[in-house]
Amino acid sequence: MENPELNGTASIPGGLTQGSAAPTPLLEVRGLTKSFFGIPVLEDAHLTLHRGQVHGLVGENGAGKSTLMKVLAGVYQPDAGTVLLDGREVRFSHPTKAHEAGLSSVFQEFNLLPDRTVAENIYLGREPRRGVLVNKSLMNGKTAELLQSLGITAIRPTAQVRSLTVAEQQVVEIAKAVSYDARIVSMDEPTAALAGAEVELLYQIVSRLRDRGTGILYVSHRLRELFDLCDVITVLKDGRVVSTGPASELDDARLVRLMVGRPIWAFFPDKLPRTDSDAEGTNAEGAVVSAKPILELQGAGNGQLDGISFSVQPGEIVGLAGLQGSGRTELLHAIFGAAPFNRGTMKVEGREVLPKTPREGVRARMALITEDRKAEGLSLNQSILNNALTVIRSVFPRRTGAVQTEIPGVFSSLEVVARDLDQEVQYLSGGNQQKVVLAKWLAIRPRLVLLDEPTRGIDVGAKVAVYRLMRTLAAEGKAILMASSELPEVIGMSDRILVMRDGRLAGELPAGTSEEAVLQLGTGARTAPGGGT
Protein backbone atom coordinates (compact mmCIF):
# COMPACT_ATOMS: atom_id res chain seq x y z
CA MET A 1 0.00 0.00 0.00
CA GLU A 2 1.31 3.45 -0.85
CA ASN A 3 2.54 5.43 2.12
CA PRO A 4 0.55 8.70 2.22
CA GLU A 5 3.46 10.49 3.91
CA LEU A 6 5.61 9.95 0.79
CA ASN A 7 3.26 11.59 -1.69
CA GLY A 8 2.05 14.46 0.45
CA THR A 9 -1.47 13.14 0.97
CA ALA A 10 -3.25 12.02 4.10
CA SER A 11 -6.50 10.19 4.67
CA ILE A 12 -9.46 11.94 6.27
CA PRO A 13 -11.89 9.54 8.00
CA GLY A 14 -14.93 9.25 5.79
CA GLY A 15 -13.19 8.39 2.57
CA LEU A 16 -11.85 11.85 1.64
CA THR A 17 -8.28 12.63 0.71
CA GLN A 18 -6.38 15.83 1.33
CA GLY A 19 -3.22 17.17 -0.17
CA SER A 20 -1.02 19.94 1.15
CA ALA A 21 -4.11 22.10 1.67
CA ALA A 22 -6.99 20.47 3.49
CA PRO A 23 -10.45 20.88 1.95
CA THR A 24 -12.76 23.30 3.67
CA PRO A 25 -14.87 21.42 6.24
CA LEU A 26 -18.60 21.27 5.66
CA LEU A 27 -19.13 22.25 9.31
CA GLU A 28 -16.73 23.61 11.88
CA VAL A 29 -17.47 24.44 15.50
CA ARG A 30 -15.02 26.60 17.44
CA GLY A 31 -15.16 27.37 21.16
CA LEU A 32 -18.92 26.92 21.51
CA THR A 33 -20.15 27.74 25.02
CA LYS A 34 -23.64 27.66 26.53
CA SER A 35 -24.93 28.11 30.09
CA PHE A 36 -28.38 27.86 31.67
CA PHE A 37 -29.10 29.89 34.82
CA GLY A 38 -25.39 30.45 35.26
CA ILE A 39 -24.54 26.73 35.03
CA PRO A 40 -22.27 25.88 32.07
CA VAL A 41 -23.49 22.88 30.06
CA LEU A 42 -21.18 23.37 27.09
CA GLU A 43 -17.67 24.83 27.38
CA ASP A 44 -15.27 25.61 24.54
CA ALA A 45 -16.65 22.82 22.34
CA HIS A 46 -14.99 22.18 19.00
CA LEU A 47 -15.91 19.83 16.17
CA THR A 48 -15.22 19.37 12.45
CA LEU A 49 -17.47 17.59 9.95
CA HIS A 50 -16.55 16.83 6.32
CA ARG A 51 -18.77 15.93 3.37
CA GLY A 52 -19.78 12.28 3.24
CA GLN A 53 -18.66 11.72 6.81
CA VAL A 54 -20.54 10.25 9.76
CA HIS A 55 -19.29 11.92 12.94
CA GLY A 56 -20.33 10.24 16.20
CA LEU A 57 -21.04 12.33 19.28
CA VAL A 58 -21.04 10.42 22.57
CA GLY A 59 -21.00 10.97 26.30
CA GLU A 60 -23.11 10.42 29.38
CA ASN A 61 -26.43 12.19 29.83
CA GLY A 62 -25.62 15.76 30.79
CA ALA A 63 -22.35 15.72 28.83
CA GLY A 64 -23.62 18.43 26.47
CA LYS A 65 -24.45 16.43 23.33
CA SER A 66 -28.07 17.54 22.98
CA THR A 67 -27.20 21.14 23.85
CA LEU A 68 -24.57 21.20 21.10
CA MET A 69 -27.06 19.80 18.60
CA LYS A 70 -29.73 22.32 19.58
CA VAL A 71 -27.29 25.21 19.23
CA LEU A 72 -26.44 24.00 15.72
CA ALA A 73 -30.16 23.63 14.96
CA GLY A 74 -30.95 27.19 16.02
CA VAL A 75 -33.03 26.10 19.03
CA TYR A 76 -30.53 27.66 21.47
CA GLN A 77 -28.27 30.68 21.00
CA PRO A 78 -24.64 30.19 22.09
CA ASP A 79 -23.04 32.42 24.71
CA ALA A 80 -19.71 32.30 22.90
CA GLY A 81 -17.97 30.60 20.00
CA THR A 82 -18.50 30.38 16.27
CA VAL A 83 -20.09 27.99 13.77
CA LEU A 84 -18.83 27.87 10.20
CA LEU A 85 -20.55 26.32 7.18
CA ASP A 86 -18.26 25.89 4.18
CA GLY A 87 -15.82 28.22 5.89
CA ARG A 88 -18.35 31.04 6.40
CA GLU A 89 -19.49 32.03 9.87
CA VAL A 90 -23.22 31.53 10.51
CA ARG A 91 -25.54 32.15 13.44
CA PHE A 92 -29.05 30.72 13.40
CA SER A 93 -31.68 32.75 15.24
CA HIS A 94 -34.37 30.15 14.59
CA PRO A 95 -34.55 26.50 13.41
CA THR A 96 -35.98 27.67 10.08
CA LYS A 97 -32.75 29.58 9.45
CA ALA A 98 -30.77 26.38 10.02
CA HIS A 99 -33.05 24.52 7.59
CA GLU A 100 -32.56 27.23 4.97
CA ALA A 101 -28.79 26.86 5.34
CA GLY A 102 -29.03 23.10 4.83
CA LEU A 103 -28.68 21.88 8.42
CA SER A 104 -31.55 19.64 9.60
CA SER A 105 -31.97 17.80 12.89
CA VAL A 106 -33.76 14.62 13.92
CA PHE A 107 -34.36 14.70 17.65
CA GLN A 108 -35.07 11.73 19.91
CA GLU A 109 -38.67 12.78 20.53
CA PHE A 110 -40.81 12.50 17.41
CA ASN A 111 -42.37 15.73 16.17
CA LEU A 112 -45.08 14.28 13.94
CA LEU A 113 -48.82 14.84 13.73
CA PRO A 114 -50.38 11.37 14.03
CA ASP A 115 -53.64 12.19 12.25
CA ARG A 116 -51.97 13.60 9.14
CA THR A 117 -50.40 11.71 6.27
CA VAL A 118 -46.72 11.07 5.73
CA ALA A 119 -46.60 13.68 2.96
CA GLU A 120 -48.48 16.25 5.04
CA ASN A 121 -46.00 15.79 7.89
CA ILE A 122 -42.93 16.04 5.68
CA TYR A 123 -44.10 19.25 3.97
CA LEU A 124 -45.95 20.76 6.94
CA GLY A 125 -46.00 24.55 6.63
CA ARG A 126 -44.43 24.53 3.15
CA GLU A 127 -46.97 22.55 1.14
CA PRO A 128 -46.79 22.99 -2.65
CA ARG A 129 -49.83 24.90 -3.85
CA ARG A 130 -51.96 25.41 -6.92
CA GLY A 131 -53.31 28.88 -6.31
CA VAL A 132 -54.64 28.96 -2.73
CA LEU A 133 -55.14 25.18 -2.58
CA VAL A 134 -52.61 22.57 -1.51
CA ASN A 135 -51.41 20.55 -4.51
CA LYS A 136 -51.72 17.15 -2.87
CA SER A 137 -50.84 15.25 -6.02
CA LEU A 138 -47.53 17.10 -6.35
CA MET A 139 -46.84 16.79 -2.61
CA ASN A 140 -47.46 13.03 -2.64
CA GLY A 141 -45.30 12.65 -5.73
CA LYS A 142 -42.41 14.59 -4.18
CA THR A 143 -42.72 12.49 -1.02
CA ALA A 144 -42.64 9.25 -3.01
CA GLU A 145 -39.48 10.41 -4.79
CA LEU A 146 -37.88 11.41 -1.50
CA LEU A 147 -38.64 8.06 0.15
CA GLN A 148 -37.41 6.19 -2.92
CA SER A 149 -34.14 8.14 -2.84
CA LEU A 150 -33.64 6.82 0.70
CA GLY A 151 -34.41 3.27 -0.39
CA ILE A 152 -37.81 3.22 1.32
CA THR A 153 -40.60 1.49 -0.61
CA ALA A 154 -42.86 0.18 2.18
CA ILE A 155 -44.19 3.57 3.34
CA ARG A 156 -46.98 5.22 1.32
CA PRO A 157 -47.06 9.05 1.17
CA THR A 158 -50.81 8.91 1.84
CA ALA A 159 -50.54 6.68 4.93
CA GLN A 160 -51.57 8.23 8.23
CA VAL A 161 -48.62 8.53 10.60
CA ARG A 162 -50.72 6.93 13.33
CA SER A 163 -50.76 3.69 11.34
CA LEU A 164 -46.97 3.45 11.08
CA THR A 165 -44.62 1.46 13.28
CA VAL A 166 -42.12 3.29 15.49
CA ALA A 167 -39.36 2.46 13.01
CA GLU A 168 -41.40 3.83 10.10
CA GLN A 169 -42.15 7.02 12.03
CA GLN A 170 -38.42 7.42 12.60
CA VAL A 171 -37.90 7.09 8.85
CA VAL A 172 -40.49 9.82 8.26
CA GLU A 173 -38.62 12.10 10.68
CA ILE A 174 -35.39 11.53 8.76
CA ALA A 175 -37.12 12.02 5.40
CA LYS A 176 -38.57 15.29 6.70
CA ALA A 177 -35.08 16.47 7.67
CA VAL A 178 -33.63 15.48 4.29
CA SER A 179 -36.50 17.21 2.45
CA TYR A 180 -34.98 20.61 3.30
CA ASP A 181 -32.13 19.86 0.84
CA ALA A 182 -30.01 19.18 3.88
CA ARG A 183 -26.26 19.07 3.50
CA ILE A 184 -25.92 18.19 7.18
CA VAL A 185 -28.28 15.92 9.14
CA SER A 186 -27.99 15.68 12.92
CA MET A 187 -29.49 12.53 14.46
CA ASP A 188 -30.08 12.34 18.21
CA GLU A 189 -30.51 8.73 19.38
CA PRO A 190 -32.30 7.69 16.16
CA THR A 191 -32.45 4.01 17.18
CA ALA A 192 -33.42 4.48 20.85
CA ALA A 193 -36.95 3.20 20.22
CA LEU A 194 -36.03 0.63 17.57
CA ALA A 195 -35.42 -3.10 17.86
CA GLY A 196 -32.54 -4.93 16.23
CA ALA A 197 -34.17 -5.71 12.88
CA GLU A 198 -35.44 -2.13 12.56
CA VAL A 199 -31.98 -0.69 13.16
CA GLU A 200 -30.78 -2.21 9.90
CA LEU A 201 -33.18 0.05 8.00
CA LEU A 202 -31.60 3.10 9.62
CA TYR A 203 -28.14 1.80 8.72
CA GLN A 204 -29.20 1.70 5.07
CA ILE A 205 -30.49 5.28 5.18
CA VAL A 206 -27.29 6.58 6.82
CA SER A 207 -25.23 4.77 4.18
CA ARG A 208 -27.23 6.33 1.33
CA LEU A 209 -26.91 9.81 2.80
CA ARG A 210 -23.16 9.39 3.23
CA ASP A 211 -22.81 8.21 -0.37
CA ARG A 212 -24.59 11.38 -1.49
CA GLY A 213 -22.00 13.51 0.32
CA THR A 214 -24.26 14.47 3.23
CA GLY A 215 -22.46 15.11 6.50
CA ILE A 216 -24.05 13.35 9.48
CA LEU A 217 -23.73 14.09 13.18
CA TYR A 218 -24.77 10.92 14.97
CA VAL A 219 -25.57 10.73 18.70
CA SER A 220 -26.04 7.28 20.22
CA HIS A 221 -25.48 5.34 23.45
CA ARG A 222 -25.19 2.09 21.51
CA LEU A 223 -21.50 1.41 21.10
CA ARG A 224 -21.97 -1.11 18.30
CA GLU A 225 -23.76 1.48 16.17
CA LEU A 226 -20.96 3.97 16.66
CA PHE A 227 -18.35 1.54 15.39
CA ASP A 228 -20.62 0.27 12.59
CA LEU A 229 -21.52 3.69 11.22
CA CYS A 230 -19.11 6.40 12.30
CA ASP A 231 -15.88 7.51 10.66
CA VAL A 232 -14.94 9.85 13.52
CA ILE A 233 -16.05 9.89 17.16
CA THR A 234 -16.02 12.88 19.49
CA VAL A 235 -16.43 12.26 23.23
CA LEU A 236 -17.95 14.91 25.50
CA LYS A 237 -17.71 14.85 29.29
CA ASP A 238 -19.13 17.52 31.60
CA GLY A 239 -19.70 19.87 28.67
CA ARG A 240 -16.18 19.64 27.28
CA VAL A 241 -14.67 17.72 24.38
CA VAL A 242 -12.23 15.18 25.83
CA SER A 243 -11.39 13.28 22.64
CA THR A 244 -11.84 13.34 18.86
CA GLY A 245 -10.39 10.76 16.53
CA PRO A 246 -11.00 8.05 13.93
CA ALA A 247 -13.44 5.37 15.07
CA SER A 248 -10.98 2.77 13.78
CA GLU A 249 -8.51 3.75 16.51
CA LEU A 250 -11.00 3.12 19.32
CA ASP A 251 -12.57 0.03 20.87
CA ASP A 252 -15.35 -0.51 23.42
CA ALA A 253 -13.04 -0.40 26.43
CA ARG A 254 -11.25 2.79 25.36
CA LEU A 255 -14.48 4.58 24.44
CA VAL A 256 -16.21 3.69 27.71
CA ARG A 257 -13.23 4.83 29.74
CA LEU A 258 -13.23 8.17 27.92
CA MET A 259 -16.95 8.64 28.56
CA VAL A 260 -17.25 7.61 32.19
CA GLY A 261 -13.76 7.17 33.53
CA ARG A 262 -14.08 3.45 34.26
CA PRO A 263 -13.36 0.28 32.29
CA ILE A 264 -15.99 -1.70 30.40
CA TRP A 265 -15.89 -4.66 32.78
CA ALA A 266 -17.35 -2.38 35.43
CA PHE A 267 -20.58 -2.20 33.39
CA PHE A 268 -21.93 -5.29 35.08
CA PRO A 269 -21.50 -5.28 38.87
CA ASP A 270 -20.79 -8.51 40.72
CA LYS A 271 -23.58 -10.42 42.44
CA LEU A 272 -24.31 -9.43 46.02
CA PRO A 273 -24.82 -11.90 48.89
CA ARG A 274 -28.46 -12.63 49.72
CA THR A 275 -29.76 -10.53 52.60
CA ASP A 276 -33.27 -11.99 52.89
CA SER A 277 -34.31 -14.81 55.22
CA ASP A 278 -35.74 -17.06 52.46
CA ALA A 279 -32.48 -18.39 51.05
CA GLU A 280 -32.32 -22.12 51.70
CA GLY A 281 -29.38 -23.50 49.75
CA THR A 282 -27.52 -23.52 46.44
CA ASN A 283 -28.19 -25.09 43.09
CA ALA A 284 -25.75 -26.98 40.85
CA GLU A 285 -24.22 -23.70 39.66
CA GLY A 286 -23.71 -22.49 43.22
CA ALA A 287 -26.49 -19.89 43.13
CA VAL A 288 -28.53 -19.38 46.29
CA VAL A 289 -32.09 -20.61 45.82
CA SER A 290 -35.26 -21.08 47.84
CA ALA A 291 -37.52 -24.10 47.95
CA LYS A 292 -40.45 -22.10 46.52
CA PRO A 293 -40.06 -20.24 43.19
CA ILE A 294 -41.43 -16.72 42.92
CA LEU A 295 -42.85 -17.44 39.45
CA GLU A 296 -43.88 -20.74 37.86
CA LEU A 297 -45.43 -21.14 34.40
CA GLN A 298 -46.63 -24.42 32.97
CA GLY A 299 -48.01 -24.72 29.43
CA ALA A 300 -49.06 -21.06 29.45
CA GLY A 301 -50.26 -19.43 26.26
CA ASN A 302 -52.57 -16.97 24.53
CA GLY A 303 -53.04 -15.74 20.96
CA GLN A 304 -49.34 -14.80 20.68
CA LEU A 305 -47.63 -17.29 23.00
CA ASP A 306 -47.77 -21.05 23.33
CA GLY A 307 -46.41 -23.76 25.62
CA ILE A 308 -44.48 -21.46 27.97
CA SER A 309 -43.01 -23.36 30.92
CA PHE A 310 -40.28 -22.11 33.26
CA SER A 311 -39.73 -20.83 36.80
CA VAL A 312 -37.83 -17.97 38.44
CA GLN A 313 -36.35 -18.32 41.92
CA PRO A 314 -36.02 -15.61 44.57
CA GLY A 315 -32.74 -13.75 44.11
CA GLU A 316 -32.45 -14.81 40.47
CA ILE A 317 -32.09 -12.63 37.36
CA VAL A 318 -33.38 -14.46 34.30
CA GLY A 319 -32.73 -12.89 30.90
CA LEU A 320 -35.19 -13.05 28.00
CA ALA A 321 -33.52 -12.92 24.59
CA GLY A 322 -34.83 -13.28 21.05
CA LEU A 323 -35.32 -11.41 17.81
CA GLN A 324 -37.87 -8.64 17.35
CA GLY A 325 -41.33 -10.24 17.33
CA SER A 326 -40.14 -13.37 19.12
CA GLY A 327 -42.57 -12.82 21.99
CA ARG A 328 -40.38 -11.30 24.72
CA THR A 329 -42.56 -8.26 25.40
CA GLU A 330 -45.74 -10.29 24.91
CA LEU A 331 -44.57 -12.75 27.59
CA LEU A 332 -43.96 -10.00 30.14
CA HIS A 333 -47.34 -8.44 29.39
CA ALA A 334 -49.09 -11.80 29.74
CA ILE A 335 -47.49 -12.50 33.12
CA PHE A 336 -48.49 -9.04 34.34
CA GLY A 337 -52.08 -9.32 33.08
CA ALA A 338 -51.84 -6.65 30.37
CA ALA A 339 -52.44 -9.28 27.65
CA PRO A 340 -53.49 -12.27 29.79
CA PHE A 341 -52.79 -15.95 29.32
CA ASN A 342 -55.92 -17.90 28.46
CA ARG A 343 -54.47 -21.38 29.00
CA GLY A 344 -51.94 -23.12 31.18
CA THR A 345 -51.13 -22.43 34.82
CA MET A 346 -49.21 -19.69 36.60
CA LYS A 347 -48.12 -19.53 40.23
CA VAL A 348 -46.67 -16.62 42.16
CA GLU A 349 -44.93 -17.70 45.39
CA GLY A 350 -46.74 -21.02 45.24
CA ARG A 351 -50.19 -19.51 44.87
CA GLU A 352 -52.04 -20.07 41.62
CA VAL A 353 -52.90 -16.80 39.93
CA LEU A 354 -53.71 -15.80 36.37
CA PRO A 355 -53.98 -11.98 36.27
CA LYS A 356 -56.57 -10.69 33.84
CA THR A 357 -55.66 -7.00 34.28
CA PRO A 358 -52.54 -5.06 35.29
CA ARG A 359 -54.26 -4.16 38.57
CA GLU A 360 -54.45 -7.87 39.40
CA GLY A 361 -50.79 -8.15 38.49
CA VAL A 362 -49.91 -5.37 40.91
CA ARG A 363 -51.98 -7.01 43.66
CA ALA A 364 -49.96 -10.17 43.08
CA ARG A 365 -46.88 -8.02 43.88
CA MET A 366 -45.57 -7.82 40.37
CA ALA A 367 -44.01 -4.75 38.73
CA LEU A 368 -43.70 -4.15 34.98
CA ILE A 369 -41.17 -1.59 33.74
CA THR A 370 -42.21 -1.10 30.11
CA GLU A 371 -39.82 -0.39 27.22
CA ASP A 372 -41.38 2.98 26.29
CA ARG A 373 -41.03 4.97 29.50
CA LYS A 374 -42.40 8.20 28.01
CA ALA A 375 -45.56 6.77 26.44
CA GLU A 376 -46.34 4.06 29.01
CA GLY A 377 -44.33 4.68 32.16
CA LEU A 378 -44.54 8.39 32.95
CA SER A 379 -46.80 11.43 33.01
CA LEU A 380 -44.24 13.86 31.63
CA ASN A 381 -46.01 17.06 32.72
CA GLN A 382 -46.45 15.78 36.28
CA SER A 383 -43.94 16.12 39.11
CA ILE A 384 -41.42 13.48 40.11
CA LEU A 385 -43.34 12.83 43.31
CA ASN A 386 -46.71 12.44 41.59
CA ASN A 387 -45.20 9.98 39.13
CA ALA A 388 -43.63 7.97 41.92
CA LEU A 389 -46.97 7.67 43.73
CA THR A 390 -49.08 6.78 40.68
CA VAL A 391 -49.38 3.02 41.25
CA ILE A 392 -49.72 3.21 45.03
CA ARG A 393 -52.52 5.78 44.78
CA SER A 394 -54.33 3.67 42.20
CA VAL A 395 -54.05 0.20 43.73
CA PHE A 396 -53.09 0.63 47.38
CA PRO A 397 -54.41 4.12 48.30
CA ARG A 398 -54.21 3.50 52.07
CA ARG A 399 -50.43 3.08 51.82
CA THR A 400 -49.89 6.41 50.04
CA GLY A 401 -48.95 8.37 53.14
CA ALA A 402 -46.42 5.83 54.36
CA VAL A 403 -44.85 5.48 50.93
CA GLN A 404 -44.62 9.25 50.45
CA THR A 405 -42.36 9.50 53.49
CA GLU A 406 -40.09 6.81 52.02
CA ILE A 407 -39.82 8.30 48.52
CA PRO A 408 -36.94 10.75 49.24
CA GLY A 409 -34.83 7.84 50.48
CA VAL A 410 -35.69 5.78 47.39
CA PHE A 411 -34.63 8.59 45.05
CA SER A 412 -31.46 9.11 47.04
CA SER A 413 -30.54 5.43 46.72
CA LEU A 414 -31.24 5.60 42.97
CA GLU A 415 -29.03 8.71 42.68
CA VAL A 416 -31.72 10.69 40.85
CA VAL A 417 -30.38 14.08 39.76
CA ALA A 418 -33.16 16.68 40.01
CA ARG A 419 -33.84 20.08 41.50
CA ASP A 420 -36.46 18.68 43.89
CA LEU A 421 -39.39 16.25 43.90
CA ASP A 422 -41.72 18.92 42.50
CA GLN A 423 -39.76 19.18 39.25
CA GLU A 424 -41.67 18.02 36.17
CA VAL A 425 -40.39 14.72 34.81
CA GLN A 426 -40.18 16.05 31.25
CA TYR A 427 -37.17 18.16 32.24
CA LEU A 428 -35.11 15.21 33.47
CA SER A 429 -32.52 13.34 31.42
CA GLY A 430 -33.48 9.96 29.98
CA GLY A 431 -31.53 8.12 32.68
CA ASN A 432 -33.22 10.03 35.49
CA GLN A 433 -36.63 9.50 33.91
CA GLN A 434 -35.96 5.76 33.93
CA LYS A 435 -35.04 5.95 37.60
CA VAL A 436 -38.39 7.64 38.34
CA VAL A 437 -40.15 4.74 36.60
CA LEU A 438 -38.20 2.29 38.76
CA ALA A 439 -39.03 4.25 41.92
CA LYS A 440 -42.73 4.17 41.03
CA TRP A 441 -42.67 0.38 40.97
CA LEU A 442 -40.35 -0.09 43.93
CA ALA A 443 -42.95 1.77 45.98
CA ILE A 444 -45.27 -1.27 45.85
CA ARG A 445 -42.47 -3.52 47.19
CA PRO A 446 -42.78 -6.12 44.42
CA ARG A 447 -41.62 -9.71 44.69
CA LEU A 448 -41.39 -10.18 40.91
CA VAL A 449 -39.89 -7.43 38.75
CA LEU A 450 -40.49 -7.60 34.99
CA LEU A 451 -38.08 -5.42 33.02
CA ASP A 452 -38.60 -4.70 29.32
CA GLU A 453 -35.56 -3.01 27.75
CA PRO A 454 -34.60 -1.42 31.10
CA THR A 455 -31.67 0.62 29.73
CA ARG A 456 -32.95 1.61 26.28
CA GLY A 457 -31.94 5.16 25.38
CA ILE A 458 -29.97 5.93 28.56
CA ASP A 459 -26.27 6.58 28.88
CA VAL A 460 -23.54 4.33 30.19
CA GLY A 461 -23.49 5.81 33.69
CA ALA A 462 -27.26 5.49 34.09
CA LYS A 463 -27.09 1.92 32.81
CA VAL A 464 -24.61 1.01 35.54
CA ALA A 465 -26.96 2.52 38.15
CA VAL A 466 -29.82 0.34 36.84
CA TYR A 467 -27.58 -2.75 36.93
CA ARG A 468 -26.59 -2.01 40.53
CA LEU A 469 -30.26 -1.69 41.45
CA MET A 470 -31.00 -5.05 39.83
CA ARG A 471 -28.23 -6.67 41.88
CA THR A 472 -29.60 -5.10 45.05
CA LEU A 473 -33.15 -6.29 44.35
CA ALA A 474 -31.87 -9.81 43.69
CA ALA A 475 -29.90 -9.75 46.95
CA GLU A 476 -33.13 -8.85 48.76
CA GLY A 477 -34.71 -12.04 47.38
CA LYS A 478 -36.77 -10.53 44.60
CA ALA A 479 -37.05 -12.37 41.29
CA ILE A 480 -36.22 -10.49 38.08
CA LEU A 481 -37.23 -11.36 34.53
CA MET A 482 -35.48 -9.04 32.06
CA ALA A 483 -36.12 -8.77 28.30
CA SER A 484 -33.46 -6.94 26.32
CA SER A 485 -32.30 -6.54 22.72
CA GLU A 486 -28.73 -5.87 23.88
CA LEU A 487 -27.03 -9.25 24.12
CA PRO A 488 -24.06 -8.01 26.21
CA GLU A 489 -26.60 -6.79 28.76
CA VAL A 490 -28.49 -10.10 28.80
CA ILE A 491 -25.28 -12.12 29.11
CA GLY A 492 -23.64 -9.80 31.61
CA MET A 493 -26.55 -9.60 34.05
CA SER A 494 -28.40 -12.93 33.81
CA ASP A 495 -28.04 -16.03 35.99
CA ARG A 496 -29.50 -17.92 33.02
CA ILE A 497 -31.03 -16.97 29.69
CA LEU A 498 -34.33 -18.01 28.13
CA VAL A 499 -34.40 -17.58 24.35
CA MET A 500 -37.72 -16.86 22.61
CA ARG A 501 -38.63 -17.67 19.00
CA ASP A 502 -42.04 -17.36 17.33
CA GLY A 503 -43.92 -17.06 20.61
CA ARG A 504 -42.34 -20.14 22.19
CA LEU A 505 -39.31 -20.86 24.31
CA ALA A 506 -36.56 -22.03 21.99
CA GLY A 507 -34.28 -23.06 24.82
CA GLU A 508 -32.33 -22.13 27.92
CA LEU A 509 -28.65 -21.15 28.17
CA PRO A 510 -26.39 -20.76 31.21
CA ALA A 511 -24.83 -17.57 32.53
CA GLY A 512 -21.82 -16.36 30.59
CA THR A 513 -22.88 -17.99 27.33
CA SER A 514 -21.74 -16.50 24.02
CA GLU A 515 -23.69 -14.08 21.82
CA GLU A 516 -23.39 -16.61 19.01
CA ALA A 517 -25.14 -19.29 21.07
CA VAL A 518 -28.02 -16.93 21.87
CA LEU A 519 -28.40 -15.91 18.22
CA GLN A 520 -28.33 -19.52 17.05
CA LEU A 521 -31.24 -20.38 19.31
CA GLY A 522 -33.08 -17.17 18.48
CA THR A 523 -32.84 -17.76 14.74
CA GLY A 524 -33.46 -21.51 14.85
CA ALA A 525 -29.98 -22.39 13.66
CA ARG A 526 -29.84 -25.15 16.25
CA THR A 527 -31.68 -26.47 19.28
CA ALA A 528 -30.55 -26.14 22.86
CA PRO A 529 -28.56 -28.98 24.41
CA GLY A 530 -30.93 -31.52 25.85
CA GLY A 531 -33.80 -30.46 23.62
CA GLY A 532 -34.75 -27.06 25.01
CA THR A 533 -35.96 -25.84 28.38
Side-chain angles (χ1 to χ4, degrees), residues 270-382:
D270 294 333
K271 294 180 185 179
L272 300 174
R274 286 280 292 276
T275 59
D276 63 308
S277 59
D278 294 332
E280 297 182 0
T282 60
N283 62 14
E285 287 75 35
V288 180
V289 297
S290 301
K292 183 171 26 178
I294 295 274
L295 173 69
E296 293 177 90
L297 292 174
Q298 188 64 44
N302 56 22
Q304 298 170 301
L305 304 164
D306 187 44
I308 306 294
S309 300
F310 68 91
S311 63
V312 186
Q313 300 285 341
E316 190 176 34
I317 299 175
V318 175
L320 270 180
L323 301 178
Q324 174 72 4
S326 62
R328 296 170 311 183
T329 294
E330 290 79 2
L331 177 55
L332 297 183
H333 285 194
I335 293 169
F336 191 63
F341 291 120
N342 54 25
R343 57 184 178 274
T345 60
M346 171 173 155
K347 293 181 180 179
V348 176
E349 294 190 285
R351 184 170 61 89
E352 192 164 325
V353 296
L354 208 61
K356 299 299 183 185
T357 65
R359 181 180 293 270
E360 291 182 18
V362 173
R363 291 193 177 279
R365 298 186 68 186
M366 292 189 285
L368 173 62
I369 290 81
T370 57
E371 62 177 322
D372 190 342
R373 59 179 175 268
K374 292 187 177 182
E376 300 174 341
L378 295 168
S379 297
L380 294 175
N381 61 349
Q382 294 290 313

Side-chain angles (χ1 to χ4, degrees), residues 456-504:
R456 173 167 285 175
I458 64 177
D459 66 62
V460 174
K463 285 183 179 183
V464 173
V466 172
Y467 298 150
R468 285 201 299 264
L469 173 64
M470 291 171 64
R471 292 292 190 212
T472 299
L473 294 175
E476 294 171 354
K478 295 175 175 60
I480 298 175
L481 188 59
M482 175 188 70
S484 176
S485 300
E486 297 191 29
L487 290 184
E489 179 172 86
V490 173
I491 294 167
M493 288 300 298
S494 302
D495 296 308
R496 55 193 171 94
I497 300 166
L498 302 176
V499 183
M500 298 286 295
R501 186 175 72 247
D502 298 329
R504 303 179 66 93

Side-chain angles (χ1 to χ4, degrees), residues 70-234:
K70 288 180 178 178
V71 169
L72 295 176
V75 177
Y76 298 149
Q77 302 304 306
D79 300 328
T82 57
V83 177
L84 294 92
L85 280 180
D86 290 322
R88 296 167 49 186
E89 185 174 343
V90 294
R91 192 178 184 93
F92 304 129
S93 58
H94 191 273
T96 57
K97 299 297 183 182
H99 287 151
E100 291 169 2
L103 197 158
S104 294
S105 299
V106 180
F107 294 111
Q108 188 172 350
E109 290 78 21
F110 293 165
N111 189 28
L112 300 173
L113 300 177
D115 292 320
R116 295 202 183 187
T117 69
V118 170
E120 288 169 340
N121 270 277
I122 289 177
Y123 288 100
L124 184 67
R126 52 199 178 97
E127 300 88 348
R129 294 182 178 274
R130 182 188 293 117
V132 297
L133 300 177
V134 173
N135 189 337
K136 290 190 175 182
S137 177
L138 177 59
M139 184 170 66
N140 291 336
K142 291 174 66 176
T143 300
E145 291 176 6
L146 176 63
L147 292 172
Q148 187 174 15
S149 74
L150 295 173
I152 307 303
T153 58
I155 300 176
R156 293 180 295 105
T158 56
Q160 271 200 344
V161 164
R162 184 184 299 280
S163 69
L164 303 181
T165 67
V166 173
E168 290 170 336
Q169 290 182 38
Q170 182 69 83
V171 169
V172 174
E173 284 280 15
I174 295 172
K176 183 177 181 179
V178 174
S179 72
Y180 287 91
D181 295 325
R183 293 180 295 156
I184 299 169
V185 177
S186 299
M187 299 183 182
D188 189 1
E189 295 288 352
T191 64
L194 307 187
E198 299 170 325
V199 171
E200 182 61 33
L201 178 61
L202 185 98
Y203 276 32
Q204 295 171 14
I205 293 174
V206 170
S207 179
R208 281 178 175 261
L209 291 174
R210 174 163 47 191
D211 291 345
R212 286 161 49 172
T214 305
I216 299 172
L217 288 176
Y218 193 91
V219 176
S220 179
H221 293 307
R222 294 180 172 180
L223 302 188
R224 182 172 297 175
E225 285 177 21
L226 295 169
F227 291 114
D228 284 348
L229 295 175
C230 297
D231 305 301
V232 176
I233 296 177
T234 289

Side-chain angles (χ1 to χ4, degrees), residues 385 388-389 392-393 396-410 443-445:
L385 181 60
L389 296 175
I392 281 289
R393 284 172 172 165
F396 305 112
R398 293 182 180 178
R399 301 185 197 171
T400 302
V403 169
Q404 187 164 344
T405 63
E406 299 171 359
I407 286 297
V410 173
I444 70 168
R445 297 181 180 176

